[in-house]
């Protein structure tokens, strides 16, 4: 004789799928391809790409001797410039921005053009070395040039 008590299996399956979906977005964001333009003679850019790969991103490195044109076309404010310029998920990533900040950007999807670690802060991803790490800000910027601190390190 069949039981008329509803099975809990479908409910458990729905709960499991909902739980998985809640955590899938950050994982998928990390798997997005980063297209990075870098000066052919720069070594720290490759180290930043390695940092991003270690964080789960796929990185395509493009050697470009005309980085000022790349930055201008990407809309990077001159004051926020660094050595390499990348794009991921529709955003510009300028310089040695930590992967955690890129993941946060992709998860939160703020209305900005991108984020930058201006200059080349010592101790930032790709700029590790024997010197003490600098304190630095990652700054968001809009297409019309407005800026705001996105993260501090």
């Amino acid at each position: 004789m069949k039981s008329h008590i509803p099975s809990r299996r479908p409910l458990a399956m729905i709960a499991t799928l909902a739980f998985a979906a809640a955590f899938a977005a950050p994982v998928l964001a990390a798997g997005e391809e980063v297209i990075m333009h870098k000066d052919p003679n720069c070594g720290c850019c490759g180290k930043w790409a390695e940092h991003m790969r270690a964080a789960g991103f796929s990185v395509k490195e493009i050697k470009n001797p005309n980085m000022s044109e790349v930055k201008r076309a990407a809309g990077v404010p001159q004051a926020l410039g660094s050595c390499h310029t990348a794009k991921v998920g529709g955003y510009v990533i300028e310089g040695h921005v930590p992967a955690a900040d890129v993941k946060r950007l992709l998860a939160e999807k703020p209305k900005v053009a991108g984020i930058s670690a201006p200059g080349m802060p010592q101790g930032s991803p790709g700029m590790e070395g024997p010197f003490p790490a600098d304190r630095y800000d990652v700054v968001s910027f809009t297409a019309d040039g407005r800026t705001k601190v996105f993260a501090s390190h």
Side-chain angles (χ1 to χ4, degrees):
M1 184 164 167
K2 279 190 170 181
S3 170
H4 293 290
I5 299 171
S7 171
R8 292 188 178 158
R9 235 177 248 177
L11 182 58
M13 187 182 305
I14 291 169
T16 301
L17 290 173
F19 180 79
F23 291 96
V27 172
L28 293 175
E32 290 195 43
E33 184 174 45
V34 176
I35 307 296
M36 180 184 75
H37 292 265
K38 66 178 191 171
D39 184 284
N41 301 310
C42 186
C44 64
C45 300
K47 290 180 182 178
W48 180 79
E50 290 172 15
H51 164 78
M52 294 298 285
R53 287 183 186 109
F57 288 92
S58 169
V59 182
K60 180 178 180 182
E61 298 179 51
I62 300 172
K63 295 178 181 179
N64 192 324
N66 192 359
M67 288 304 299
S68 59
E69 177 57 30
V70 170
K71 292 172 190 322
R72 188 195 63 72
V76 176
Q78 191 171 0
L80 300 183
S82 185
C83 59
H84 56 268
T85 304
K87 287 197 174 185
V88 62
Y91 291 102
V92 176
I93 310 299
E94 179 68 11
H96 296 271
V97 174
D101 292 349
V102 177
K103 288 180 180 181
R104 179 180 150 213
L105 176 76
L106 295 172
E108 293 178 3
K109 299 189 184 316
K111 294 183 180 185
V112 298
I115 55 177
S116 171
M120 297 171 68
Q122 185 65 39
S124 61
M127 291 295 296
E128 300 89 350
F131 303 104
D134 294 333
R135 295 192 58 73
Y136 66 98
D137 291 329
V138 170
V139 180
S140 66
F141 58 93
T142 62
D144 63 2
R146 288 178 288 136
T147 62
K148 182 178 176 182
V149 173
F150 184 77
S152 295
H153 301 278

